């Protein structure tokens, strides 16, 4: 995992948010030569990462000005980044003006889950023979950081380390199109994973499936690795579906 960065001011949120989101460090406009499209991409990547890792909550409201201030940029790159995320269903605009993180209904979650089951298992199988020994060693550290976050009750860090573990394995597959599709699904489901706290993520179930995955990685066993990813999704989804049901 990369080293922690200094915490910046987070985007303005409405009081309804259940837990404060961890903001990303502010971006710097490197003088008059900075290109607007580059700043837009940086803002987009920061917001996208926050959605994928659950740093933003379901139904959390953002403002263009609040995001701009927290990231140290003008309003234009933020508006453009938000528009991209709306197209990708990572954000939604309500009543023509309010920017909000969508809350998934149970049927949408079920559909995403079915797709993830197939694609993430496929990516894991492809990754097993390709992942480097150095990356396996690094993932050992991610697994331990995930455990430490669970034991300390740090919800955001738990989700962050969990995301890092899974996506690092999928990216090791080298399948660019497949990875992009998987990331687009994490973009939509990431905020909903906050519902796993404190009950489900307070247990060690997720950590145990990660240990099983690490064993499969060391043996370069793609089938076993794919099954461990399926098991991880299955355990968490059972709890989430109960919470999402009306």
């Amino acid at each position: 995992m990369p080293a922690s960065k200094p915490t910046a001011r987070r985007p303005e949120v409405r009081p309804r948010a259940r837990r404060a989101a961890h903001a990303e460090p502010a971006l710097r406009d490197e003088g008059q030569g900075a290109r607007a499209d580059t700043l837009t991409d940086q803002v987009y990547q920061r917001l996208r990462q926050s959605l994928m890792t659950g740093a933003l909550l379901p139904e959390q409201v953002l403002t263009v000005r609040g995001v701009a201030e927290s990231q140290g940029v003008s309003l234009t790159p933020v508006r453009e980044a938000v528009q991209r995320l709306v197209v990708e269903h990572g954000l939604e605009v309500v009543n023509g003006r309010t920017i909000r993180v969508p809350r998934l209904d149970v049927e949408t979650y079920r559909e995403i889950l079915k797709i993830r089951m197939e694609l993430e298992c496929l990516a894991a199988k492809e990754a097993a023979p390709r992942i480097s020994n150095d990356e396996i060693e690094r993932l050992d550290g991610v697994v331990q950081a995930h455990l430490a976050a669970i034991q300390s009750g740090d919800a955001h860090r738990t989700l962050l380390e969990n995301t890092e573990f899974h996506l690092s394995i999928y990216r090791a597959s080298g399948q660019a199109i497949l990875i992009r599709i998987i990331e687009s699904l994490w973009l939509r489901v990431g905020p909903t994973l906050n519902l796993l706290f404190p009950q489900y993520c307070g247990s060690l179930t997720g950590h145990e499936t990660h240990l099983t995955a690490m064993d499969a990685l060391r043996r370069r066993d793609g089938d076993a690795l794919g099954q461990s990813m399926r098991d991880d999704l299955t355990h968490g989804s059972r709890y989430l579906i109960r919470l999402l049901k009306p």
Side-chain angles (χ1 to χ4, degrees), residues 197-239:
F197 291 91
Q199 286 84 1
Y200 178 80
C201 283
S203 74
L204 295 179
T205 303
H207 173 66
E208 290 166 357
T209 57
H210 288 184
L211 291 178
T212 302
M214 289 301 302
D215 179 64
L217 274 175
R218 293 188 189 95
R219 292 184 286 108
R220 307 289 178 170
D221 187 335
D223 289 334
L225 182 60
Q227 186 60 50
S228 67
M229 296 295 101
R230 185 179 295 274
D231 290 344
D232 200 21
L233 285 171
T234 299
H235 293 152
S237 65
R238 286 173 182 164
Y239 186 82

Side-chain angles (χ1 to χ4, degrees), residues 71-211:
Q71 305 224 3
V73 298
S74 63
L75 301 181
T76 298
V78 177
R79 290 194 184 101
E80 293 173 350
V82 166
Q83 288 172 359
R84 290 172 63 179
L85 289 165
V86 168
V87 170
E88 296 176 11
H89 303 286
L91 295 173
E92 62 184 1
V93 177
V94 183
N95 298 325
R97 56 185 301 175
T98 302
I99 304 165
R100 189 173 68 185
V101 178
R103 183 181 183 88
L104 294 182
D105 58 67
V106 67
E107 291 308 317
T108 301
Y109 176 74
R110 285 183 190 274
E111 182 178 356
I112 291 174
L113 177 63
K114 285 190 294 185
I115 299 169
R116 288 183 63 198
M117 287 282 194
E118 299 303 319
L119 298 188
E120 293 183 27
C121 291
L122 174 60
K125 290 179 182 179
E126 293 289 330
R130 293 178 170 86
I131 193 166
S132 69
N133 291 330
D134 286 345
E135 182 67 354
I136 292 175
E137 183 177 351
R138 187 186 73 83
L139 285 174
D140 261 331
V142 175
V143 170
Q144 293 308 311
H146 180 246
L147 174 61
I150 293 172
Q151 293 174 331
S152 67
D154 188 334
H156 175 67
R157 178 59 59 179
T158 300
L159 289 178
L160 187 66
E161 302 294 353
N162 180 69
T163 303
E164 176 70 13
F165 181 76
H166 282 265
L167 293 185
S168 292
I169 291 175
Y170 306 149
R171 287 165 182 158
S173 72
Q175 309 296 303
I177 296 173
L178 178 59
I179 294 164
R180 184 67 183 182
I181 295 171
I182 289 172
E183 288 181 349
S184 73
L185 298 174
W186 278 71
L187 177 73
R188 298 192 65 181
V189 79
T192 302
L193 297 182
N194 281 281
L195 299 179
L196 292 172
F197 291 91
Q199 286 84 1
Y200 178 80
C201 283
S203 74
L204 295 179
T205 303
H207 173 66
E208 290 166 357
T209 57
H210 288 184
L211 291 178

